[in-house]
Amino acid sequence: MYSRKGGSSNNQSVYKFASVKMGKVIRVESSLEYDACFHLEYSKDITSFVSQPCGVEYVLNGIKRTFFPDFLAESQKHGLHYLEIKRLNLNLEPNFGKENRQLKI
């Protein structure tokens, strides 16, 4: 596993969320991830969270790939868990996530 380099590129928007809980500015790549920060920030169950925590390399069908979860959150009830933020209508497409469902972290 490795971290994604910070900063913006021409292909990704960068939003900044000022987190009192984490005591720093959290950089995210979409407005949906920005909105998710509010849920993570104000949830009493979430004790900490980080954006783009690490990259996980895996091989699928002979091709080396890298998966970057949107968040790593720590919950009082469930411990550490990765979060991936997507639009609902994308999640309803039949082939969405076919590759990522095969990835076990």
Side-chain angles (χ1 to χ4, degrees), residues 13-15 27-36 70 85:
S13 300
V14 175
Y15 296 78
R27 295 171 59 112
V28 295
E29 296 178 344
S30 73
S31 60
L32 287 175
E33 291 175 25
Y34 179 79
D35 291 345
D70 293 326
I85 308 301

